[in-house]
Amino acid sequence: MISLSRKEIEALIDLRNIAPAIEDAYRAASVGEVNLPPVGHITFPDLNADCHIKYGHLSGSESFVIKVATGFPTNTAQDLETGNGLVLVMSAKTGAVQAVLHDEMLLTDVRTGIGGAIASRALARSDSQCVLIVGTGPQAQRQIEAHAALMPNPLRFELWGRNANRAGELVETLSKEFDVNNAKDLEKAAKRADIIVTATGATAPLIHSDWVKAGTHITAVGADAPGKQELDPALVARADLIAVDLVSQCLDHGEISHAFQAGLIRANDIIELGALLGSPQSGRSTDEQITLVDLTGIAAQDIAIASSILDAHAK
């Protein structure tokens, strides 16, 4: 049995090598080639914390994956990481444990960052330059890393957070490697952004419809559990094209679920990202369109990144 620590896993990560596997995973999920049971959720309301259990099997694969990821925002007060977890890779023939990846949330963060960049690359305008990152948690950094590595054009980033001090500290750190500045006014930053990436644990809208100009692309990754919300439902309804990682999951507890439950959008208004990647002509058709991708995270991504890490480890 293989057992890898977070440090060992981190040394094996290459965003550009992993991204094609994540894209293939989205495509496979959209054509029914991945067994994706409903996500398991455990919530801890007193701490505004949660635990996700995601699991799945790619048809024909000799392995299946079980991923446990936790988010405890109040850990910052104890100088602890807010996220933790592990990934189990198990035999689809015998049920035996083949690998334990003690990633401490790293793989979830990285694959979410890659997924966000894949979504933006698929639907943002080709001349996009300014990316607004909303959030200051680990995902903010991962989205910047992935967008910088995977998008076709050089980008400049603005970062806004509900905690202004934390936002300033993160910008100072990231600006050593990326073109990133502190966006102190969220409304003004949203109005000048070509791409908006929301990556918070918010439970009420942060980005309002009238803040978003024609032609903007939005990748929303924060609403991965019931009760979470980052976008004005009117903005979701206003989008010309809405894509999701998994329709059933996103309609249940994703960003678009609020607009859906309010009757502002219909299920047939939505395309899965995997279907869009398999049929690029179904994507953005004009520079004036507002496009939106809602990513709640699917086990197909966990399968892909776990396989990529084990392949790299075997070399």
Side-chain angles (χ1 to χ4, degrees):
M1 185 187 74
I2 298 169
S3 179
L4 298 178
S5 68
R6 178 187 172 108
K7 185 176 181 180
E8 291 171 318
I9 293 167
E10 193 160 18
L12 297 170
I13 289 174
D14 184 315
L15 299 181
R16 291 184 178 88
N17 284 343
I18 296 171
I22 300 287
E23 285 199 9
D24 288 343
Y26 283 131
R27 293 188 188 96
S30 288
V31 295
E33 294 179 355
V34 188
N35 184 345
L36 294 172
V39 177
H41 289 292
I42 305 172
T43 59
F44 305 89
D46 292 346
L47 297 171
N48 190 30
D50 58 14
C51 173
H52 296 177
I53 305 99
K54 294 181 178 176
Y55 29 84
H57 176 237
L58 175 63
S59 179
S61 173
E62 295 186 355
S63 302
F64 66 98
V65 167
I66 300 172
K67 190 276 294 287
V68 178
T70 63
F72 280 70
T74 55
N75 280 0
T76 54
Q78 306 172 60
D79 200 27
L80 298 173
E81 294 294 331
T82 58
N84 216 311
L86 53 79
V87 178
L88 299 176
V89 182
M90 306 179 73
S91 171
K93 293 183 176 180
T94 68
V97 178
Q98 297 175 321
V100 181
L101 306 181
H102 300 269
D103 69 310
E104 301 175 17
M105 192 73 169
L106 174 64
L107 292 178
T108 295
D109 285 340
V110 171
R111 63 82 152 149
T112 303
I114 292 172
I118 288 171
S120 295
R121 185 169 65 185
L123 284 177
R125 296 190 332 268
S126 60
D127 63 348
S128 295
Q129 295 180 331
C130 180
V131 182
L132 170 62
I133 305 293
V134 181
T136 59
Q139 195 50 221
Q141 177 176 340
R142 298 302 176 185
Q143 290 293 335
I144 289 175
E145 290 172 346
H147 278 73
L150 301 177
M151 292 292 284
N153 301 324
L155 300 171
R156 65 180 187 276
F157 297 92
E158 295 192 61
L159 186 145
W160 179 91
R162 292 171 291 177
N163 183 322
N165 290 335
R166 170 62 181 152
E169 292 169 358
L170 186 57
V171 166
E172 184 177 355
T173 299
L174 293 175
S175 62
K176 297 172 184 176
E177 185 176 355
F178 305 101
D179 181 359
V180 55
N181 292 289
N182 197 346
K184 296 183 179 180
D185 187 311
L186 181 57
E187 178 178 352
K188 291 180 180 178
K191 287 180 176 179
R192 60 179 172 257
D194 300 313
I195 299 170
I196 299 172
V197 180
T198 58
T200 75
T203 56
L206 297 172
I207 303 293
H208 298 279
S209 181
D210 59 356
W211 295 1
V212 177
K213 66 187 179 185
T216 302
H217 170 72
I218 303 161
T219 293
V221 303
D224 60 351
K228 294 184 178 181
Q229 183 180 12
E230 300 179 295
L231 305 178
D232 178 359
L235 173 57
V236 176
R238 184 178 158 217
D240 297 288
L241 191 156
I242 300 172
V244 300
D245 47 12
L246 190 65
V247 169
S248 59
Q249 190 166 289
C250 291
L251 289 177
D252 177 69
H253 61 259
E255 186 63 56
I256 65 165
S257 67
H258 306 282
F260 176 70
Q261 291 163 11
L264 299 177
I265 62 171
R266 300 166 300 171
N268 61 6
D269 294 329
I270 303 160
I271 184 172
E272 288 191 342
L273 179 57
L276 189 148
L277 292 170
S279 177
Q281 65 271 21
S282 60
R284 173 182 289 274
S285 58
T286 75
D287 284 347
E288 296 302 306
Q289 288 182 311
I290 292 175
T291 56
L292 165 66
V293 179
D294 178 15
L295 300 178
T296 47
I298 56 176
Q301 295 170 271
D302 301 309
I303 295 169
I305 196 167
S307 297
S308 296
I309 292 300
L310 292 177
D311 288 345
H313 173 70
K315 292 179 180 178

